[in-house]
Amino acid sequence: MAKELKTKENDLPVEDFIDSLDNEKQKEQSYTLLELFKSISGSEARMWGGSIIGYGHYDYVYSSGQSGTWMRGGFSPRKGKFSLYIMSGFSHYGEILGRLGKYKTGKSCLYINKLEDVDLEVLKELIAGSFQFMKEKYPEGA
């Protein structure tokens, strides 16, 4: 069940999850990100597993034949940092990343310690670009 919950959209209340965070500053910043992603995506926040807040969804099929449904973007407050899911990846955002501030990246994850470490206007630009990319690549998703 834990693996199923980890990768699936569910009905757990987003606000209950945020309110359960121990760190008050991270809780406050999670609410900021909640509204930022909602305003950019036009979607309501949904829990994906027990700790990921996602917006929209799309269906994918890999060349291996594996398929599934995943969020179009979102974030997760983790111990001491935020993981932001930028589903388009970062290869075509060099100029934007150069203006962002302090961060690290993974394949589709942007890691920031706190919102003060980045320029919020640039972060909005990056998130909006990712949602636009996903809309073009997967127009049938929500």
Side-chain angles (χ1 to χ4, degrees):
M1 179 65 176
K3 184 170 173 54
E4 277 294 306
L5 184 61
K6 184 176 181 181
T7 58
K8 300 291 182 188
E9 184 177 11
N10 62 67
D11 292 326
L12 295 173
V14 172
E15 290 80 5
D16 288 358
F17 168 66
I18 293 174
D19 290 341
S20 75
L21 298 173
D22 292 332
N23 183 308
E24 289 300 317
K25 185 172 187 171
Q26 193 174 47
K27 190 183 300 188
E28 176 186 315
Q29 292 187 349
S30 292
Y31 276 109
T32 298
L33 287 171
L34 188 73
E35 291 306 313
L36 186 142
F37 271 89
K38 179 181 177 180
S39 70
I40 292 170
S41 71
S43 299
E44 292 297 322
R46 302 271 302 173
M47 291 301 298
W48 287 75
S51 64
I52 299 173
I53 300 167
Y55 297 80
H57 61 270
Y58 68 100
D59 297 320
Y60 63 87
V61 179
Y62 292 140
S63 58
S64 66
Q66 179 183 352
S67 63
T69 300
W70 192 238
M71 64 185 164
R72 289 181 175 265
F75 71 97
S76 181
R78 305 284 187 189
K79 274 273 195 232
K81 68 179 179 237
F82 288 97
S83 297
L84 283 71
Y85 298 92
I86 307 298
M87 302 311 297
S88 60
F90 302 100
S91 62
H92 49 284
Y93 293 118
E95 186 273 330
I96 293 173
L97 291 172
R99 297 184 286 118
L100 182 59
K102 185 178 172 185
Y103 67 90
K104 292 182 181 178
T105 61
K107 184 175 181 179
S108 293
C109 285
L110 178 74
Y111 304 106
I112 59 174
N113 293 330
K114 55 191 179 301
L115 293 183
E116 294 88 358
D117 288 344
V118 296
D119 182 317
L120 281 183
E121 292 305 313
V122 176
L123 182 61
K124 289 177 188 178
E125 191 178 337
L126 178 63
I127 294 168
S130 181
F131 274 98
Q132 183 61 39
F133 173 91
M134 293 303 291
K135 182 179 180 181
E136 292 169 7
K137 186 168 182 173
Y138 300 99
E140 70 283 348

